[in-house]
Amino acid sequence: MDALTGLLDGPRARGAFLLRSVLDPPWSVRIEDRAPLTVVAMVRGTAWIVPDGGAPVHLAAGDVAVTRGPDPYTVADDPATPPQAVIHPGQRCTTPDGTDLAQAMHLGVRTWGNSPDGAAVLLTGTYQLDGAVSRRLLDALPPLLVLAADAWDCPVVPLLAAEIGKDEPGQEAVLDRLLDLLLIAVLRAWFSRPEGAAPAWYRALGDPVVGRALRMLHNNPAHPWTVAALATEAGLSRAALARRFTDLVGEPPMAFLTGWRLALAADLLREPDVTVGAVARQVGYGSAFALSAAFKRVHGVSPQQHRAGVPA
């Protein structure tokens, strides 16, 4: 597994909320759904994303934005337009004073808005459960990122636009997979850019020594690694590798390995049929007890509680 695959392996949309919005100005939608991650693709026209306490960010046709929850934000034709609709948890939509808008703005299958031929068309895909996107990925992202249309070349947005209004057998699974592909394509392009602010360990992959050590840890987390074994493979002394690794990655090799193992475990535990013991073996712990002790020490809950969605 390469590092980018390791970072992006988390997205697993299952029954994600997907919506095409068709709107004529003035329009403004307040998002308070507390979703962990949302992707917004501008198909036609323009819009503004206005984070609470942050500067408004403009979206043009072809641009894609990724917002990291749970903080609220507003999407509007103009930053000065007051909200006319509020999206609550569970994707319940009301006016600011609480009147339900589900039927009033319904325009067809997965389509919503104030005009069937509106000047602005947006596609929104929302990961609704924390377990659908790994914490490792969320921690690597800014609260809001925008990838301009001319910064990448990806056919997924037109494909998603063509599929989102269909109502055919298996359509939910098709849309989930397209949302995953779109998110991965956006983040792959984003992390390749200087302003992408990739995690330190990701940038460290460019170092010929530390990069080799990181790839070994990523590719085989179950191996009983020691700093001495890594140093031998990397061709440095133990002290030199530990110092160089810590300088570039921001933490010692074994601390990084523990974090990587537990991040993998957190994602694997979301799979319904896998046992804690099986996860322990996959990520390098000798027993379910050993994994449970480490997991609770770092995450504040046991693996079983994590699987059940108990907050830390």
Side-chain angles (χ1 to χ4, degrees):
M1 179 187 293
D2 64 65
L4 188 57
T5 298
L7 185 67
L8 300 182
D9 197 44
R12 290 289 187 276
R14 294 182 178 88
F17 176 77
L18 285 130
L19 184 72
R20 174 174 55 199
S21 300
V22 187
L23 299 151
D24 259 337
W27 60 270
S28 179
V29 182
R30 173 82 172 161
I31 312 298
E32 298 181 352
D33 61 2
R34 300 188 63 79
L37 199 71
T38 298
V39 183
V40 179
M42 200 77 211
V43 176
R44 184 171 76 216
T46 64
W48 291 84
I49 295 183
V50 187
D52 279 20
V57 178
H58 187 254
L59 293 182
D63 294 353
V64 178
V66 176
T67 67
R68 189 191 71 201
D71 293 340
Y73 58 95
T74 300
V75 185
D77 69 306
D78 186 281
T81 303
Q84 300 145 350
V86 180
I87 307 299
H88 303 274
Q91 302 307 316
R92 184 173 61 89
C93 179
T94 71
T95 63
D97 64 5
T99 302
D100 187 87
L101 286 173
Q103 293 304 314
M105 300 187 74
H106 179 71
L107 296 177
V109 177
R110 300 186 192 87
T111 303
W112 176 93
N114 61 15
S115 168
D117 299 308
V121 177
L122 304 85
L123 305 180
T124 303
T126 299
Y127 290 84
Q128 300 186 80
L129 301 174
D130 287 339
V133 186
S134 70
R135 175 51 53 184
R136 182 181 174 83
L137 172 56
L138 292 175
D139 289 346
L141 298 178
L144 170 65
L145 68 87
V146 174
L147 196 64
D150 60 3
W152 68 319
D153 181 21
C154 179
V156 180
V157 172
L159 186 56
L160 183 59
E163 291 286 338
I164 200 168
K166 294 182 180 179
D167 191 15
E168 299 179 0
Q171 195 66 21
E172 184 176 283
V174 170
L175 294 173
D176 281 350
R177 298 292 74 75
L178 287 175
L179 177 59
D180 288 345
L181 285 172
L182 177 57
L183 176 61
I184 289 170
V186 169
L187 296 182
R188 185 169 62 182
W190 174 257
F191 283 127
S192 71
R193 299 168 65 82
E195 68 270 30
W201 62 262
Y202 182 83
R203 298 192 303 271
L205 286 163
D207 182 85
V209 174
V210 175
R212 177 174 170 78
L214 280 167
R215 289 182 181 91
M216 288 187 288
L217 297 179
H218 276 125
N219 292 339
N220 192 3
H223 185 77
W225 291 110
T226 64
V227 177
L230 278 176
T232 299
E233 293 288 342
L236 281 185
S237 71
R238 182 180 181 280
L241 175 67
R243 182 170 57 250
R244 190 160 168 173
F245 192 106
T246 303
D247 287 346
L248 292 179
V249 178
E251 59 184 340
M254 294 300 100
F256 174 86
L257 177 60
T258 296
W260 174 232
R261 284 171 167 169
L262 295 179
L264 288 174
D267 289 343
L268 289 169
L269 287 164
R270 296 292 185 181
E271 299 298 327
D273 299 325
V274 68
T275 66
V276 176
V279 171
R281 290 189 294 274
Q282 275 188 260
V283 301
Y285 285 89
S287 66
F289 178 81
L291 172 61
S292 296
F295 197 93
K296 188 165 187 178
R297 184 173 62 251
V298 171
H299 292 286
V301 294
S302 70
Q304 293 86 349
Q305 290 171 318
H306 171 78
R307 171 175 277 166
V310 175

